[in-house]
Amino acid sequence: MSLRDMVLEYTADHYHTAPEYLWKSFPDYAVLRHSDNKKWYALIMAVPRKKLGFSDDGFTDVLNVKCPPEMIGPLLSIKGILPAYHMHKGTWLSVLLDGSAEPGIICSLLDTSFCATASRATLKSGRYLPAGEWIIPANPKVFDLEKAFAKSPVITWHQKNHFNAGDTIYIYMAAPIYSVLYKCQVLETDIPDDPSGKAPTAGRHMRIRLEGRYAPGELSREILKQHGVLAVRSPRHMPPSLSRFIKQLEGMDQ
């Protein structure tokens, strides 16, 4: 079993990338790179299993992807993810394509690698990123969001990033819930202070409107991890694969 075809179909559909086979001595090695800056964002190789630390013979397909250094350590704890084979281990990872790694996290890592190696022009175009979608953390022990939304679907919330009116934010509730519970739209940003005095903290604020809810566990910490979101300690962009997963989830609920 190999998820090689899945990877190539995914990158063709989402990034319009065709694989390049550059070496006569390794005809199955597939390079995936950007069309403008020519940087690689993925490499598929058939590697002897013993070179990957396994005891059995034979070859297995692996996918090399690039990601931020701070993500390397946590990602290595996930099944099917290994230190990079023949790449810089501080910024690259190898992912087994034998079914050990979940397809969701493979797609998420492809998204991460694509963005990590993309040109400014590509990122600025927004063609490959879910525009204006964020995940932000909330602590239920500090502020009762459920009570606040019961009073009004529009509330004032502290703002730690450069959000824009129209952005979508998904609110992840920390312990003991560990799950995304709310989907909101940003109505107004950069409010210097909350004149109502109802914001959970002092400082810069934004006004948000409740758009939807998710049951506890529906978008759990485990599901977020499958899409490369290992922790939500501060506002972060929504990974494209998780955005697609949520849209599929919402479609099934209709």
Side-chain angles (χ1 to χ4, degrees):
M1 174 183 176
S2 175
L3 297 177
R4 172 189 285 258
D5 288 343
M6 183 210 75
V7 169
L8 296 179
E9 289 174 9
Y10 182 86
T11 53
D13 289 343
H14 294 285
Y15 299 126
H16 311 297
T17 305
E20 299 179 43
Y21 301 93
L22 305 179
W23 302 281
K24 289 183 179 181
S25 53
F26 299 102
D28 293 331
Y29 281 26
V31 171
L32 299 167
R33 59 177 162 183
H34 296 273
S35 59
D36 54 359
N37 63 14
K38 303 304 179 183
K39 288 185 177 180
W40 298 8
Y41 67 88
L43 171 65
I44 301 175
M45 302 175 288
V47 179
R49 290 183 61 81
K50 286 188 175 179
K51 288 191 175 182
L52 298 172
F54 298 105
S55 59
D56 53 324
D57 294 321
F59 287 74
T60 192
D61 282 340
V62 300
L63 172 72
N64 276 3
V65 288
K66 191 172 186 177
C67 65
E70 63 270 18
M71 291 177 60
I72 298 290
L75 284 168
L76 288 174
S77 66
I78 297 176
K79 184 180 179 182
I81 298 180
L82 307 172
Y85 178 77
H86 270 296
M87 300 289 269
H88 191 289
K89 290 178 172 54
T91 53
W92 288 78
L93 291 167
S94 287
V95 185
L96 295 175
L97 297 181
D98 62 357
S100 300
E102 294 285 342
I105 196 155
I106 293 174
C107 294
S108 177
L109 288 172
L110 282 165
D111 295 335
T112 298
S113 189
F114 184 92
C115 294
T117 53
S119 66
R120 289 185 180 181
T122 294
L123 293 176
K124 189 176 181 179
S125 73
R127 287 178 296 165
Y128 304 108
L129 296 172
E133 290 189 353
W134 303 79
I135 305 173
I136 66 173
N139 188 340
K141 298 177 183 177
V142 174
F143 185 71
D144 192 336
L145 265 172
E146 187 60 35
K147 184 177 180 180
F149 282 133
K151 291 181 178 179
S152 172
V154 178
I155 66 171
T156 303
W157 191 253
H158 55 280
Q159 180 182 339
K160 292 186 177 181
N161 273 56
H162 181 67
F163 299 105
N164 295 302
D167 284 357
T168 300
I169 59 173
Y170 296 84
I171 302 179
Y172 173 84
M173 304 302 290
I177 300 171
Y178 298 116
S179 190
V180 171
L181 294 189
Y182 308 103
K183 176 182 180 180
C184 301
Q185 184 180 39
V186 178
L187 301 179
E188 184 181 1
T189 63
D190 300 315
I191 303 170
D193 204 353
D194 177 24
S196 70
K198 296 179 181 179
T201 61
R204 195 166 52 127
H205 295 88
M206 59 184 175
R207 196 156 284 115
I208 61 176
R209 180 178 63 219
L210 180 65
E211 297 286 329
R213 298 173 182 267
Y214 305 97
E218 201 168 17
L219 289 172
S220 66
R221 179 171 58 176
E222 288 69 29
I223 290 174
L224 267 58
K225 283 182 178 179
Q226 293 175 13
H227 295 272
V229 180
L230 304 183
V232 186
R233 299 188 181 95
S234 61
R236 57 164 296 161
H237 285 287
M238 171 73 70
S241 66
L242 181 56
S243 177
R244 290 188 288 270
F245 176 84
I246 291 174
K247 287 176 174 58
Q248 291 172 357
L249 181 69
E250 292 173 342
M252 288 187 292
D253 289 340
Q254 293 176 356

